[in-house]
Amino acid sequence: MLERPARERPARRSEVGFWIVAVAFTAVMSLGTAPSPLYPLYQERYGFSAAVVTVVFAAYAVGVIVSLFLLGHLSDQLGRRRMLLAAVATAVSSAAVFTVWPQLPGLLSARVLSGVAVGMITSTGVAALAELDAAGRPGRGGRRAAVVGTAANLGGLGFGPFLAGLLADLAPWPLHLSYVVHLVVLVAVAALLALVPETVRRPDPRPPYRPQRAAVPPELRRQFAVAALAAIVAFALFGLFAALGSAFIRGTLGSASHTLGGLSTTATFGTAALVQALVRDPAGRWAGLLGTVAVPLGLAVVVAATWWPSLPLFLAGEVAVGAGAGLMFAGAVRVVAATAAPQNRAEVLAGLFLAAYLGLTLPVLGLGAASRYAALPVVLTAYAALAAVVAVSTGRALRRARP
């Protein structure tokens, strides 16, 4: 009778650790998109153009890409908790730079640091959640860890802009307060990480350092090419609304509300997180068909809202695009994970995430450059038409490549 509480104690500690990691994951991801509704304020105060805003946004993606391949895999050697703490500490430094240095050099530095933190916590957080869930609830499957991981990842990206926009409307210091809130939460989470049990036995001796490989076996190249293109399209759509959504709502639709500007990004990421949590097989035929249809339909509604300004129409289109892009990306991950051999899975997934974050960066930079020579509705219409055509053709190929 006295042994049962002793046996239950590690499970309870793993359960507590699971939710601490979920909060840490959410907070780091939330900081990554918190500046989105504030870009119009930065533009007004410091004279940034739309092209500069896209460069600032791309700095974040560069930080993520570098971090994914130089640091993200090190939790297998150093331990999950140690890498989680490093990611949170990097996010703390990013929030501090955002707070004290709002000019362009500081904004770029803070965005890169935020991207590095996201790159470190993305793979580490997903792995830690799965391992802590298995230790805290043995024999119950990994569904909860997958749902919470998705909610922390995309849900965090959606929550940050909403919080920043709301605080900018209702409280003083709009270019500082949301970062201070993130800073306080992140410092508190860093202290709580001491309660999280380690789930990885560090190798002894430690293997020599090497960057994360992103290799695709020859027999998987066709499926990978299809999945990578789907990931590029999905993240190009996420980046479109995260980088320029709030500026578009303010400039074209005439709304001065920063909350609505943040809601633009929240609608995209939040819907993507919700559909991924609800759909059990995102690579299935009907889920793939829904994603393929939702993207061009949503883009058509968004374009209509730009030429005949309507905020409800614009947000409705964003919800549809977010659902379609979320299903496309989840389907791409499912195809790659299911077709790759276990010994190659991490390397192939690393290649997929590289493609995704290139999709987040390069098309948005092109959009920002094009906006210097044509009106934003014209540029957005051309961007949407191209994205819709590629999404439909890629969606069809992805359904044929499903496992």
Side-chain angles (χ1 to χ4, degrees):
M1 295 294 292
L2 294 177
E3 293 180 0
R4 185 176 178 186
R7 288 199 305 267
E8 290 178 350
R9 199 171 298 125
R12 286 199 301 268
R13 191 178 175 207
S14 296
E15 186 71 5
V16 171
F18 176 89
W19 293 111
I20 292 173
V21 171
V23 173
F25 198 174
T26 303
V28 172
M29 302 305 292
S30 174
L31 179 65
T33 48
S36 293
L38 306 180
Y39 287 140
L41 283 175
Y42 284 111
Q43 289 178 283
E44 289 176 4
R45 188 165 300 183
Y46 300 107
F48 298 167
S49 66
V52 170
V53 169
T54 58
V55 171
V56 171
F57 179 81
Y60 162 78
V62 170
V64 176
I65 292 170
V66 171
S67 179
L68 276 172
F69 289 98
L70 297 184
L71 303 171
H73 62 296
L74 291 182
S75 67
D76 291 335
Q77 301 175 20
L78 304 179
R80 308 290 187 222
R81 185 172 60 191
R82 192 174 290 185
M83 282 301 295
L84 288 168
L85 185 58
V88 172
T90 305
V92 166
S93 65
S94 171
V97 174
F98 272 128
T99 303
V100 303
W101 196 5
Q103 291 81 10
L104 182 58
L107 194 56
L108 288 169
S109 301
R111 291 293 283 162
V112 171
L113 286 170
S114 179
V116 170
V118 166
M120 282 195 285
I121 207 168
T122 298
S123 56
T124 304
V126 169
L129 287 173
E131 291 157 0
L132 290 166
D133 188 50
R137 306 190 316 157
R140 299 194 186 183
R143 174 69 177 165
R144 185 183 72 160
V147 171
V148 172
T150 297
N153 191 335
L154 292 178
L157 291 171
F159 179 72
F162 177 74
L163 175 65
L166 187 66
L167 290 176
D169 281 335
L170 301 181
W173 313 301
L175 292 183
H176 305 276
L177 186 57
S178 63
Y179 305 129
V180 172
V181 171
H182 278 92
L183 186 62
V184 172
V185 172
L186 288 163
V187 169
V189 166
L192 290 173
L193 284 173
L195 302 176
V196 177
E198 182 54 69
T199 57
V200 169
R201 186 184 296 274
R202 294 197 293 271
D204 188 18
R206 184 186 304 167
Y209 170 80
R210 65 173 177 82
Q212 172 68 56
R213 292 178 60 194
V216 181
E219 65 274 12
L220 292 182
R221 285 175 183 165
R222 186 183 68 83
Q223 293 96 325
F224 178 82
V226 172
L229 187 56
I232 288 170
V233 172
F235 270 63
L237 294 170
F238 291 148
L240 167 67
F241 296 113
L244 296 177
S246 58
F248 180 81
I249 285 179
R250 189 179 183 90
T252 303
L253 301 182
S255 172
S257 170
H258 301 294
T259 305
L260 288 176
L263 190 61
S264 168
T265 306
T266 301
T268 310
F269 284 113
T271 307
L274 181 62
V275 297
Q276 287 188 25
L278 293 177
V279 176
R280 288 187 172 271
D281 182 12
R285 180 167 179 254
W286 291 109
L289 183 61
L290 177 61
T292 304
V293 171
V295 168
L297 179 62
L299 286 171
V301 173
V302 167
V303 168
T306 66
W307 291 101
W308 298 278
S310 168
L311 181 59
L313 201 62
F314 184 80
L315 293 176
E318 276 198 299
V319 167
V321 172
L327 287 173
M328 285 186 68
F329 181 66
V333 172
R334 177 78 175 87
V335 166
V336 168
T339 54
Q343 64 269 24
N344 301 117
R345 191 168 293 143
E347 294 172 352
V348 179
L349 284 171
L352 183 69
F353 278 102
L354 173 61
Y357 276 96
L358 287 174
L360 188 71
T361 308
L362 298 179
V364 172
L365 282 175
L367 182 65
S371 68
R372 300 176 61 184
Y373 304 101
L376 190 56
V378 175
V379 174
L380 183 60
T381 300
Y383 187 97
L386 179 61
V389 171
V390 177
V392 170
S393 59
T394 304
R396 292 177 60 188
L398 192 64
R399 292 199 300 278
R400 290 196 297 268
R402 71 184 186 274

